[in-house]
Amino acid sequence: MSHRVTMRDVARAVGVSPMTVSRALRDDETVNAKTRHKIRQVANDLGYVYDTTAQAFRTQKSGFVAVTLPSINNANFAETFRGLSEGLGQSGMQLLLGSTNYQVDKEEELVRQLLTRNPEAIVLTGGHHTDETRALLSARNLPVIEIWDLPAAPLGHVVGFSNASAMAKVVTHLAEKGRYRLGFVGASENTDLRGASRRAGVIAAAAELGLPDVTIIDAGSAPVSMRHGAQAVSDLGDAVSELDALVCVSDPVAFGALSECRRRGLKVPSDIAVTGFGNFEVASVSDPRITTVGVTAREIGMQVAALLDDLFAGEAGDLPRIVDVGSRLVPGETS
Amino acid sequence: MSHRVTMRDVARAVGVSPMTVSRALRDDETVNAKTRHKIRQVANDLGYVYDTTAQAFRTQKSGFVAVTLPSINNANFAETFRGLSEGLGQSGMQLLLGSTNYQVDKEEELVRQLLTRNPEAIVLTGGHHTDETRALLSARNLPVIEIWDLPAAPLGHVVGFSNASAMAKVVTHLAEKGRYRLGFVGASENTDLRGASRRAGVIAAAAELGLPDVTIIDAGSAPVSMRHGAQAVSDLGDAVSELDALVCVSDPVAFGALSECRRRGLKVPSDIAVTGFGNFEVASVSDPRITTVGVTAREIGMQVAALLDDLFAGEAGDLPRIVDVGSRLVPGETS
DNA sequence: TTGAAAGCGTTACCAT
DNA sequence: ATGGTAACGCTTTCAA
């Protein structure tokens, strides 16, 4: 197999220097229009393909933005990724995606791996990281954006919302409906950290309102999904009758819980209320519609893209930007 | 800002040459064990991070495998990606993901973009591509793997299954249950091509069995999901009573259809049967459970990873590999 | 077991 | 408007 076609080859064929080819291909106006045209044509004829790797190497700019998600198989995170991806379309940046499987150790390994690609910015889902991850990131002069949370001690920029205050809205809503005895259905402690924030939010809000202690219902280790919600209700058995509402960590979990309630002949919401989180499609299509919390997953991605645009354009100012996209209660028919 | 830490710096600090550092970091046995250890430690202390871009440049191997998915927000494709990602863990390859939004033009643009990163292989979801995409790919000496389909004229390797024969299983199942008047719920023609294959499969199977003409119910443009399934049933109105079964292009669509049937007071399956595709979690958790077709989304990814391993190890032989992972009917309570 | 030299393809910088 | 030179950080190759 013959050697690959480089700018050199194009230059030789046209009778100019490689520099001129480089300029021409970038549509540099200082290159004679005719020459530019000729170069483009010859490049095409020779089957020249631009080498981004060489460019990244020479300029020390990879054109990558690294992104970590807890799971790619999650409609909310996928929407965030999509928003980011679409919003970044203009800037020519490419996303380098990795999934942590909800584990901070895995995140550390992933960050280490992603950093070897010299990303120009890194987007981390969540605000919990290992010390080593923090060290790795602060050793570099790299914009860091944490999303889907409002960390107490951010690494840099933030685009997220308060999981605790979102849950407070749910608890308040339930209390107003006369639902006092709450069960929280989520992953075991210490695996899903966003889930843990939500649980803490429920407990705090219930205490604040003087409700009885929240019953914690362990649905297994993260990621918890529909089947875990169903299993949790099934495991509860008759104990479910001592609760007024099942506050679930996410809509899939809530849907699983709702389905299992139905199977067991429980009427929702008359026998028990069920709430979710995330305003997934299933919440609004399910019959009955599930009461949930709307989070603007897609907008988080778009806000991040906007922030990155500003950062790359040098228009972001010096201070870390903290964007709270908020959340809102979306009442359904299950409460 | 100080200059970035390179192998040179590590070498200087340890008192060896950069070459020795390079070898040591790759765990080359020829380097003295003690020296190796020392180097690793110093590298760590200095906060050295390996530069994959430089490596890719020097070796002319990017370490990337490019992947296109119609949508990242789809549990099946996400599982395939995960299977691939995990299976590829060993080989050190990194995935470069792009989403086509179910459009072949978008795919072309994406392929073009991905190719500038010199991927060592490319994985395309589906077997339909623009001529330009085909040309771009065949101009390169690059392994191509098409997945989630069994294309008539593959570009290279294939890991997929027949959408048509999968649908035939559904139609046969329904016919055995005495369901003859079928409606197919899917995206409009020419957007979702996998969906179009499924529709064609339903029509062919119905004809084969001598069933009445299949009623085609347009659920909008791809990607169609839960709300589209619900909307389609809603749009049908009373016409739904002339059908024995709604054959849906995917489980989310089936779930939407099922929910809307319930809302309208239709009993499933006594008044009408509903089937889905993909064995999504919602199919098995929903009450009633949805009859669906099981496709091994995760396994497709793992098979691709295995194939890539062989390719990179030079053990794949010369012929394109065609892997049919098959599909199976998963009877539920909706038929 | 270790090192020196060269080069991967591009572009920043300075000259002309 | 165009070109020459050097350099980005690493690894292949050969030599010691």
Side-chain angles (χ1 to χ4, degrees):
Chain A
M1 208 183 93
S2 67
H3 123 115
R4 104 174 253 166
V5 182
T6 71
M7 287 187 180
R8 237 177 127 96
D9 301 314
V10 178
R12 242 196 301 261
V14 178
V16 295
S17 78
M19 248 339 285
T20 303
V21 175
S22 173
R23 286 196 262 255
L25 294 179
R26 277 175 293 162
D27 261 331
D28 186 328
E29 299 283 340
T30 70
V31 176
N32 184 300
K34 241 174 167 164
T35 318
R36 252 188 297 165
H37 187 75
K38 182 83 190 290
I39 288 174
R40 286 206 162 278
Q41 189 182 324
V42 171
N44 236 16
D45 293 350
L46 294 182
Y48 170 79
V49 179
Y50 185 80
D51 188 340
T52 309
T53 306
Q55 179 197 43
F57 177 56
R58 164 67 236 218
T59 61
Q60 296 294 81
K61 295 197 166 185
S62 63
F64 283 128
V65 171
V67 183
T68 72
L69 297 179
S71 157
I72 159 169
N73 190 352
N74 174 299
N76 271 331
F77 297 139
E79 276 303 291
T80 294
F81 184 80
R82 201 161 72 92
L84 177 52
S85 177
E86 287 172 7
L88 227 48
Q90 334 300 339
S91 77
M93 288 282 156
Q94 225 163 42
L95 294 177
L96 216 45
L97 173 66
S99 137
T100 67
N101 220 21
Y102 294 90
Q103 296 163 279
V104 287
D105 305 22
K106 189 82 200 308
E107 183 189 65
E108 178 182 320
E109 191 189 322
L110 191 59
V111 166
R112 211 184 281 280
Q113 189 192 129
L114 290 169
L115 286 182
T116 72
R117 293 285 180 179
N118 286 320
E120 298 185 43
I122 186 164
V123 180
L124 303 173
T125 305
H128 296 268
H129 318 285
T130 66
D131 290 344
E132 185 63 18
T133 301
R134 292 181 167 273
L136 276 171
L137 292 171
S138 61
R140 294 218 171 186
N141 202 6
L142 175 81
V144 179
I145 308 178
E146 289 166 284
I147 63 175
W148 275 87
D149 238 328
L150 294 179
L155 286 160
H157 307 276
V158 174
V159 180
F161 59 89
S162 162
N163 282 281
S165 85
M167 293 321 285
K169 292 172 193 162
V170 173
V171 173
T172 304
H173 165 79
L174 288 170
E176 284 169 3
K177 296 268 185 172
R179 311 282 180 161
Y180 303 136
R181 299 172 303 167
L182 311 182
F184 177 84
V185 185
S188 340
E189 183 103 48
N190 291 334
T191 49
D192 174 9
L193 295 157
R194 242 162 324 290
S197 305
R198 290 180 199 155
R199 179 181 50 224
V202 171
I203 293 172
E208 174 100 3
L209 294 173
L211 305 187
D213 281 355
V214 176
T215 304
I216 302 304
I217 302 161
D218 186 345
S221 51
V224 287
S225 191
M226 292 178 178
R227 67 186 85 247
H228 303 88
Q231 189 63 47
V233 169
S234 167
D235 291 348
L236 261 184
D238 293 339
V240 77
S241 63
E242 282 153 34
L243 295 172
D244 295 330
L246 292 171
V247 179
C248 300
V249 71
S250 73
D251 286 345
V253 171
F255 175 74
L258 172 62
S259 285
E260 186 61 23
C261 284
R262 276 190 52 175
R263 284 185 190 280
R264 306 177 85 81
L266 285 166
K267 295 237 185 314
V268 175
S270 54
D271 292 334
I272 192 164
V274 174
T275 66
F277 192 101
N279 201 18
F280 286 65
E281 195 178 26
V282 71
S284 59
V285 173
S286 151
D287 174 48
R289 281 182 288 110
I290 299 170
T291 295
T292 184
V293 175
V295 293
T296 52
R298 185 125 182 292
E299 199 200 324
I300 290 178
M302 287 164 47
Q303 290 270 5
V304 171
L307 171 53
L308 287 173
D309 265 352
D310 288 353
L311 284 170
F312 295 141
E315 291 167 2
D318 287 336
L319 292 176
R321 194 183 293 182
I322 309 288
V323 181
D324 184 348
V325 297
S327 62
R328 67 183 208 290
L329 186 80
V330 181
E333 300 161 345
T334 57
S335 65
Chain B
M1 202 188 92
S2 66
H3 123 115
R4 102 173 256 166
V5 183
T6 70
M7 286 189 181
R8 239 177 126 94
D9 301 313
V10 178
R12 244 196 297 263
V14 179
V16 295
S17 78
M19 241 349 278
T20 303
V21 174
S22 171
R23 287 196 261 255
L25 294 180
R26 276 176 294 162
D27 261 332
D28 186 328
E29 299 284 339
T30 71
V31 176
N32 184 300
K34 242 172 163 166
T35 317
R36 251 188 296 163
H37 187 75
K38 181 83 191 287
I39 288 175
R40 286 205 163 277
Q41 190 182 322
V42 171
N44 236 14
D45 293 350
L46 293 182
Y48 170 78
V49 178
Y50 185 81
D51 187 339
T52 309
T53 306
Q55 179 198 43
F57 177 55
R58 165 67 235 223
T59 62
Q60 297 294 84
K61 295 196 167 187
S62 64
F64 281 128
V65 170
V67 182
T68 72
L69 297 179
S71 156
I72 157 169
N73 190 354
N74 173 300
N76 271 332
F77 297 140
E79 277 302 292
T80 293
F81 184 79
R82 203 161 72 92
L84 177 52
S85 178
E86 287 174 6
L88 228 48
Q90 333 301 339
S91 78
M93 287 283 155
Q94 224 163 43
L95 294 177
L96 215 46
L97 174 66
S99 136
T100 67
N101 220 20
Y102 294 88
Q103 297 163 283
V104 287
D105 305 20
K106 190 83 200 309
E107 183 189 64
E108 177 182 322
E109 191 189 324
L110 192 59
V111 166
R112 212 184 281 280
Q113 190 193 126
L114 291 169
L115 285 183
T116 71
R117 295 287 179 175
N118 284 321
E120 299 184 41
I122 186 165
V123 179
L124 304 173
T125 305
H128 296 267
H129 319 284
T130 66
D131 290 345
E132 185 63 17
T133 301
R134 292 180 167 274
L136 277 171
L137 292 172
S138 61
R140 295 218 174 185
N141 201 5
L142 176 80
V144 179
I145 308 178
E146 290 166 284
I147 63 175
W148 275 87
D149 238 329
L150 294 180
L155 286 160
H157 306 277
V158 173
V159 179
F161 59 89
S162 162
N163 282 281
S165 85
M167 293 322 285
K169 292 171 193 165
V170 173
V171 173
T172 305
H173 164 81
L174 288 170
E176 284 168 2
K177 296 267 186 174
R179 311 283 179 161
Y180 303 136
R181 299 171 303 166
L182 311 182
F184 178 83
V185 185
S188 338
E189 183 105 44
N190 292 334
T191 49
D192 173 10
L193 296 158
R194 243 163 325 287
S197 306
R198 289 179 199 157
R199 180 181 50 226
V202 171
I203 293 173
E208 174 99 4
L209 294 173
L211 304 187
D213 280 356
V214 176
T215 305
I216 302 303
I217 302 160
D218 187 344
S221 52
V224 287
S225 191
M226 293 179 176
R227 69 186 83 248
H228 304 89
Q231 189 62 48
V233 169
S234 167
D235 291 349
L236 261 184
D238 294 338
V240 77
S241 63
E242 282 153 35
L243 295 172
D244 296 330
L246 292 171
V247 179
C248 301
V249 72
S250 72
D251 287 344
V253 171
F255 176 74
L258 172 63
S259 286
E260 186 62 23
C261 284
R262 276 191 53 174
R263 285 186 189 279
R264 305 177 87 81
L266 286 166
K267 294 236 184 313
V268 175
S270 54
D271 292 334
I272 192 165
V274 174
T275 66
F277 192 102
N279 201 19
F280 286 66
E281 194 178 26
V282 71
S284 58
V285 173
S286 150
D287 177 46
R289 281 181 288 111
I290 300 170
T291 295
T292 184
V293 175
V295 292
T296 52
R298 187 125 180 291
E299 198 199 324
I300 291 178
M302 287 165 46
Q303 291 271 5
V304 171
L307 171 53
L308 288 172
D309 266 352
D310 289 353
L311 285 170
F312 295 141
E315 293 166 2
D318 287 337
L319 292 175
R321 194 185 292 182
I322 310 288
V323 181
D324 184 349
V325 297
S327 63
R328 66 182 208 291
L329 185 80
V330 181
E333 300 160 345
T334 57
S335 63

